[in-house]
Amino acid sequence: DGGITQSPKYLFRKEGQNVTLSCEQNLNHDAMYWYRQDPGQGLRLIYYSQIVNDFQKGDIAEGYSVSREKKESFPLTVTSAQKNPTAFYLCASSSPGQVSSGANVLTFGAGSRLTVL
Amino acid sequence: RKEVEQDPGPFNVPEGATVAFNCTYSNSASQSFFWYRQDCRKEPKLLMSVYSSGNEDGRFTAQLNRASQYISLLIRDSKLSDSATYLCVVNGGNFNKFYFGSGTKLNVKP
């Protein structure tokens, strides 16, 4: 079945460490996204990528970095510069087209829960 | 002003009740609209897309009012399994940017 795989599901980090969250999709979607969700809050966009080797900052990109070397993969690195990284991180993808045909809809991975010790 | 605003709830309703959620969006150029369901500590999952003419899927009805920049979701005959957080999602004109409301929590009680 096609879908999005995020790993690890749970991650613990010491302050000052960088960590990388993996996101792989086999949906052949062009666009990929990283969102952050804090308890009781909505999703906030960190970075997004429309095509390979191109990505744009979202609303809360500071302290994060991404790469898009392959269509299927969009890893997120949470750097030590991110002051409050404990959160639920969600990767998503979408393809252009008409919503009525099932396109232009976000599909999510199961998420990665990061805790800073 | 937030791109998408929702009443956070919680909405506490008995089984069998009808409940309505509302959502407003600020960008008049928005093109696509969705309701997602998110269970506790899980990822959001698409419940239904929202079309200009309104659409229905079983007990769920979604409506869009472009003039008022308003989206609604109606759930009839609530089930215990409907308990979740419902997220309003708007595509912000550029098809690649989606904006999320903070979600409305629904608790359906026996």
Side-chain angles (χ1 to χ4, degrees):
Chain A
D1 283 341
I4 301 178
T5 301
Q6 287 188 243
S7 63
K9 190 170 183 178
Y10 299 97
L11 184 61
F12 298 90
R13 189 194 94 171
K14 294 181 180 179
E15 285 194 22
Q17 286 183 335
N18 292 355
V19 293
T20 297
L21 308 181
S22 170
C23 178
E24 303 279 332
Q25 56 102 354
N26 61 2
L27 299 166
N28 199 32
H29 284 174
D30 294 304
M32 296 186 74
Y33 311 78
W34 275 104
Y35 290 91
R36 168 182 173 141
Q37 188 175 35
D38 293 283
Q41 296 190 33
L43 278 68
R44 292 184 290 168
L45 182 63
I46 304 172
Y47 268 98
Y48 66 105
S49 168
Q50 299 185 34
I51 57 173
V52 174
N53 292 324
D54 185 51
F55 48 82
Q56 289 79 40
K57 292 182 179 180
D59 303 313
I60 56 165
E62 185 175 351
Y64 299 98
S65 66
V66 293
S67 63
R68 187 88 186 275
E69 297 177 1
K70 298 186 300 181
K71 186 176 184 177
E72 302 80 17
S73 179
F74 192 41
L76 173 74
T77 297
V78 184
T79 76
S80 56
Q82 170 49 235
K83 299 303 180 190
N84 185 21
T86 294
F88 187 40
Y89 290 88
L90 287 156
C91 180
S93 68
S94 71
S95 63
Q98 294 297 319
V99 171
S100 57
S101 65
N104 200 15
V105 172
L106 278 178
T107 300
F108 286 90
S112 293
R113 200 166 294 275
L114 173 63
T115 302
V116 173
L117 304 174
Chain B
R1 182 183 174 186
K2 289 183 180 179
E3 293 279 346
V4 181
E5 300 208 55
Q6 291 181 253
D7 181 342
F11 284 41
N12 298 307
V13 303
E15 272 187 291
T18 295
V19 60
F21 303 138
N22 301 317
C23 168
T24 57
Y25 61 95
S26 60
N27 185 352
S28 59
S30 298
Q31 297 179 7
S32 305
F33 310 89
F34 311 89
W35 285 101
Y36 277 73
R37 170 192 170 127
Q38 186 174 25
D39 292 293
C40 187
R41 300 178 70 83
K42 299 286 189 180
E43 75 275 23
K45 294 185 177 179
L46 180 67
L47 178 64
M48 55 199 305
S49 303
V50 187
Y51 301 117
S52 296
S53 55
N55 46 299
E56 185 174 309
D57 183 3
R59 297 181 294 110
F60 300 86
T61 300
Q63 297 212 310
L64 167 65
N65 183 323
R66 285 188 183 271
S68 301
Q69 295 179 205
Y70 169 99
I71 307 158
S72 65
L73 176 68
L74 185 76
I75 304 176
R76 291 181 298 279
D77 189 22
S78 299
K79 311 291 184 191
L80 295 176
S81 57
D82 293 334
S83 296
T85 297
Y86 291 84
L87 303 173
C88 177
V89 182
V90 174
N91 177 288
N94 172 344
F95 87 90
N96 274 325
K97 286 197 78 174
F98 295 80
Y99 294 94
F100 287 75
S102 56
T104 300
K105 188 171 175 60
L106 173 65
N107 296 315
V108 181
K109 309 287 189 182

